[in-house]
Amino acid sequence: MSTPAIQHCNDFVIKFANVNGSGSASANELFARAIIRMGVPVAPRNIFPSNIQGLPTWYEVRVSEAGWLGARGGCDMMVAMNPQTWDRDVAAIEPGGYLFYDSTKPLPPSKFREDITVLGIPLTAMCNEEYEDARQRQLFKNIMYVGALIALLDMEFAAAEQLIVDRYRGKDQLIKANVNALRLGYDYAKQHLPCPIGLRVKRADAVGERIMIDGNSACGLGAVYGGATVAGWYPITPSTSVIEAFSSYCRKFRTDPDNGRARYAIVQAEDELASIGMVIGAGWNGARAFTATSGPGISLMQEFFGLAYFAEIPAVIVDVQRGSPSTGMPTRTQQSDLLSCAYASHGDTRHVLLFPQDAHECFSLTAQAFDLAERLQTPVFVLSDLDIGMNEQLCAPFEWDDSRRYDRGKLMTYAELEAGKDFGRYLDVDGDGIPYRTIPGTHPTKGAYFTRGTTRNPYAKYSEVGTDYVYNMERLRRKFNTAKDLVPAPILTKAAQPTHVGVIYYGSTAHAMAEAGAKLAADGIHVDTLRVRGFPFSDEVMQFIAERDAVFVVEQNESAQLRSLLINEGEIDPKKLVRVLHYDGSPITARFIAGKIADALTDRKISPIGQPQRKVAS
Amino acid sequence: MTYLAKPKLHSADAPRNALGYTRRDYEGAISTLCAGCGHDSISASIVQACFDLDIEPHKVAKLSGIGCSSKTPDYFLGNSHGFNSVHGRMPSVLTGAALANRNLLYLGVSGDGDSASIGIGQFAHAMRRGVNMTYIVENNGVYGLTKGQFSATADKGSKSKKGVINSDSPIDLASLALQLGATYVARSFSGDKEQLVPLIKGALRHGGPAFIDVISPCVTFNNHNGSTKSYDYVREHNAAVNRLDVILPKAQIEASYPPGSLRRVVQHDGSILHLRKVGVDYDPSDRIGAMNHLQERQALGEIVTGLLYVDSSGQDMHTHLNTVEKPLNQLGDAYLCPGSKALEALNATLR
């Protein structure tokens, strides 16, 4: 072999090619978590089809002691367990990389490559010998290859063993069987293969207190902590697991200890229209309510979003974005619902959006969304995506301040009504555009009002008078301005050196962007970055743009939706905002971002230090 | 349409109910519907039913969709919160509201377009989900606000005001409600308050999904010869199966009816339904019998009215979901938030 084998410690990408439904997911997760237990950060990602059984699926683990959690691209080692995708899996390996496969059935030399290291283990034969049951043969084959990888990558066997003990605590038979399979793979590799290979995992101290969880589970947990009691929903990939997690955390945390009854209600609706209808009904009636959906669901809910906006009803919508339009790429990631959420519904509507970057923020921003929805009496969207929603990721541990109280917003109480306080449901008493509301049943004779999507006067009486309509619209605009300072502030990261170039990004682009910034800096290109976390944009966002000569807007959709939103809301000169768009359904990478920015700076003759030639940039 | 406030005039000797309220306290704004509209009679029946049952107005939430019928909640129960939502979507909004607070009475008012056309999906699912509500459809077979198009309940062969013959089959919402799991199903006629008021009362006390199909002629667009939803047609073809009296548990008044003609049904909350048979030997606890009877009479061109079916076991969505007694919208932070310790323990399992 002329190409030298890759030699990397704690910095490589390993990919598992599996068959959907073969039980590989939990074995692969075991592998990733074992590396974390060794103090080395990993970023695992599932690449899966819209299918339950039989189609190809991949699991990619990026090992990065430096802590880069975005997708890297490329593959240093392929665990090729799927004959269906063999050819393209073998072709995907970097020169000098490694191929691990089940050598039970001999393959002709033409099926391999000259420039990679091939590592075969007769997994099927070993399983057939060890196990009687077909399902066991399948499941333990997965554990067995994890055992072999532990040997090949010089990992600590004890770390994986302890994980199995933790996972199946109390189920001794399962622990024994799994550890046995792990050991069989490990021993075989030790005896028959050149262990360790050039890719290695070495114990480090780079994980710290971080936890590993998927963003959808974190959203579900955030809804529990945020006080949600009602969820109306309809199954749709990739959002379904938000409700599954909510349901499971509710069973754990919200079951009345005295009588086993539920302090929550979850209803699987007949469609997304009914889901959001239930959320709006519950929000109107004073419960914290939410739904989780994805792009097609957002389209179906549009009319109701307008009602909730105009009738001023709190609602929380977790939108786990996927490849669109239409059915699009339901199991691939995108950030393509930004505009359809920001201006959802007919007429002049604007909605509050929150952009979590990872599972930690999926938790904290979902919880916060309920406070914002009640404070602002309006729908609040949490815009997650498939990449952060459905992949487990390392993130800062969840935090909760026990002194925190739910902000129920401006509620007119029985006592206030009884004392004769003036109640105008749509009256701007405080000048912030937010009116007071009453919950049905508050007072026998005062405070009842009729909610409607049609125009009304400040006292909620039906009106077709133009001035009443304008008063309302202007108040809604004031309210939206109030929201600017309530949504989470953007996060500014200044370059090591002064620069006139900025980058704006949001959500799941964050990890790749952090790495891209470092890559660019290493090449002498310095950029300040601003991570937007909420819409409406705060003044800081517009100031960031105003203070720079050029600003790249990095996002994962085809039509530059964040850029459009910035231009529209901030009256920005479009020439100033440069598109960096990634939308093939795979997660954006640092390589991609850094490459695009470097190329654009060359093409546009924009100097990061602000030379006069920027004037001729087009 | 403009909003008309109703003058606050109280007659000193107006009859008062057990709460000390007069009927006037159950009224709303002045109706802006056409003079003679059947819907206004239904509003009056709702007012009467709530007055008779001593219902506190603020313990009722009234919800509707879009259309003439859906405007009516503004015209009754002015001290109740109301919600005029989206066309065809009242059931989901009401379902959410009912999830939030199980202790209010939920009154959903809809029309035939709102429930049988655009909203048939939500109608169906609210019934099968067992939402504890009184669902009234003010059924005139026609779109009033958009001036006279057929709705999905218009009978095949009936004629529009413009002379168009309807060639589509009608949807019978009462039959559907029976099939879908409503546990109280009735049909009545807006022009027959004597029949309608007790049916509404029974529904309000029912404790589960209660559906009432009220034929309510549209005086402007569907009250002509050739219409099967006109005042004259309904009066001529009305085939009542029974007459209902609703007796509250606190008032132990035994009505005296000839033996054999009375059927007594005790509902989940203790209210008693007294059914006087009219004409046929009809068993309102027999769901399949009720469906058969409706189909048979419909084939003869008759409109069967009365309490068609009642199952008094009192199961609803909250029973199915096993939710706590206290309304979810009244649970405080301490009941909802697991707190930092639980979160730290959870963090530990994720490493």
Side-chain angles (χ1 to χ4, degrees), chain A residues 37 209 212 221 225 254 261-263 270 274 278 281 285 303 398 400 402 406 438 440-441 443 449 451 462, chain B residues 1 58 81-82 84 86 92-93 96-97 106 122 129 322-325 329 333 336-337 339-340 343 347 350-351:
Chain A
R37 287 279 176 105
E209 286 299 290
M212 190 160 92
L221 184 66
Y225 272 75
R254 291 272 196 78
R261 290 171 73 171
R263 294 172 177 167
E270 58 271 30
M278 288 177 200
N285 211 2
E303 186 182 19
F398 299 135
W400 192 262
D402 286 328
Y406 297 146
T438 54
H443 191 284
Y449 69 97
T451 304
Y462 183 89
Chain B
M1 188 177 88
H58 71 301
H81 274 70
N84 189 187
V86 176
S92 66
V93 178
Y106 293 93
Q122 295 219 338
R129 211 167 264 134
N322 193 30
T323 40
V324 288
E325 280 299 325
N329 70 353
D333 295 33
L336 300 177
C337 185
S340 65
L343 202 53
N347 281 332
L350 299 169
R351 292 192 173 110

Side-chain angles (χ1 to χ4, degrees), chain B:
Chain B
M1 188 177 88
T2 50
Y3 172 81
L4 302 174
K6 209 172 236 184
K8 284 267 176 199
L9 289 174
H10 270 273
S11 160
D13 53 2
R16 292 179 183 274
N17 65 12
L19 298 171
Y21 290 131
T22 66
R23 247 191 305 276
R24 188 70 188 80
D25 295 314
Y26 292 87
E27 290 175 0
I30 288 177
S31 170
T32 59
L33 300 175
C34 308
C37 176
H39 298 357
D40 285 332
S41 309
I42 301 171
S43 295
S45 296
I46 292 169
V47 166
Q48 184 68 45
C50 292
F51 171 83
D52 289 352
L53 291 175
D54 305 323
I55 288 170
E56 294 177 277
H58 71 301
K59 297 287 175 63
V60 180
K62 44 182 187 168
L63 295 98
S64 61
I66 294 291
C68 292
S69 55
S70 290
K71 286 162 77 169
T72 65
D74 206 8
Y75 314 142
F76 57 81
L77 298 179
N79 284 322
S80 305
H81 274 70
F83 195 161
N84 189 187
S85 66
V86 176
H87 199 16
R89 317 295 172 214
M90 172 277 286
S92 66
V93 178
L94 189 147
T95 301
L99 289 169
N101 185 353
R102 62 188 303 170
N103 285 354
L104 298 184
L105 278 174
Y106 293 93
L107 176 59
V109 177
S110 181
D112 38 302
D114 200 52
S115 278
S117 296
I118 189 170
I120 191 156
Q122 295 219 338
F123 158 77
H125 289 278
M127 292 295 104
R128 63 174 274 270
R129 211 167 264 134
V131 183
N132 182 358
M133 68 184 292
T134 297
Y135 192 140
I136 296 177
V137 166
E138 306 187 345
N139 183 359
N140 57 16
V142 74
Y143 286 80
L145 278 179
T146 53
K147 303 194 174 172
Q149 300 79 12
F150 287 119
S151 85
T153 64
D155 285 312
K156 196 170 187 169
S158 65
K159 195 165 77 176
S160 79
K161 197 177 179 185
K162 287 177 180 163
V164 181
I165 303 292
N166 178 38
S167 53
D168 298 344
S169 296
I171 288 172
D172 178 11
L173 290 170
S175 294
L176 275 183
L178 271 170
Q179 194 197 340
L180 291 164
T183 46
Y184 182 106
V185 179
R187 178 147 49 213
S188 190
F189 172 45
S190 64
D192 186 356
K193 271 176 84 173
E194 223 175 288
Q195 184 191 44
L196 179 58
V197 172
L199 287 174
I200 295 173
K201 284 158 71 175
L204 286 168
R205 299 296 301 244
H206 176 60
F211 178 76
I212 311 176
D213 178 23
V214 188
I215 312 293
S216 175
C218 173
V219 287
T220 306
F221 296 108
N222 209 6
N223 198 31
H224 47 267
N225 281 338
S227 159
T228 56
K229 299 266 190 298
S230 68
Y231 279 108
D232 289 345
Y233 186 91
V234 179
R235 283 203 180 96
E236 281 161 22
H237 296 79
N238 189 343
V241 290
N242 48 38
R243 287 271 157 181
L244 177 69
D245 290 303
V246 178
I247 295 163
L248 296 186
K250 59 182 181 185
Q252 289 296 339
I253 307 161
E254 285 297 327
S256 55
Y257 298 113
S261 71
L262 188 78
R263 190 183 171 98
R264 191 170 179 273
V265 178
V266 182
Q267 296 208 101
H268 185 64
D269 71 343
S271 59
I272 299 158
L273 308 180
H274 276 174
L275 287 152
R276 276 176 290 143
K277 286 176 190 165
V278 177
V280 292
D281 192 14
Y282 186 84
D283 176 5
S285 67
D286 175 4
R287 185 161 150 265
I288 293 165
M291 290 197 264
N292 284 337
H293 186 76
L294 283 181
Q295 300 304 316
E296 284 163 16
R297 295 299 162 137
Q298 196 171 307
L300 299 173
E302 288 183 9
I303 302 163
V304 180
T305 60
L307 179 55
L308 307 173
Y309 175 66
V310 62
D311 166 5
S312 53
S313 61
Q315 292 255 318
D316 84 320
M317 181 175 58
H318 277 285
T319 318
H320 304 153
L321 293 171
N322 193 30
T323 40
V324 288
E325 280 299 325
K326 192 169 181 177
L328 296 177
N329 70 353
Q330 288 163 27
L331 297 177
D333 295 33
Y335 284 90
L336 300 177
C337 185
S340 65
K341 279 216 170 63
L343 202 53
E344 279 160 26
L346 189 69
N347 281 332
T349 66
L350 299 169
R351 292 192 173 110

Side-chain angles (χ1 to χ4, degrees), chain A residues 90 126 150 167 203 295 342 344 365 439 472 484 524 535 561 587:
Chain A
V90 171
M126 288 165 71
I150 288 170
R167 181 184 287 181
R203 181 164 279 277
L365 296 190
I439 303 299
N472 203 44
K484 280 202 313 196
F535 178 74
Q561 299 190 16

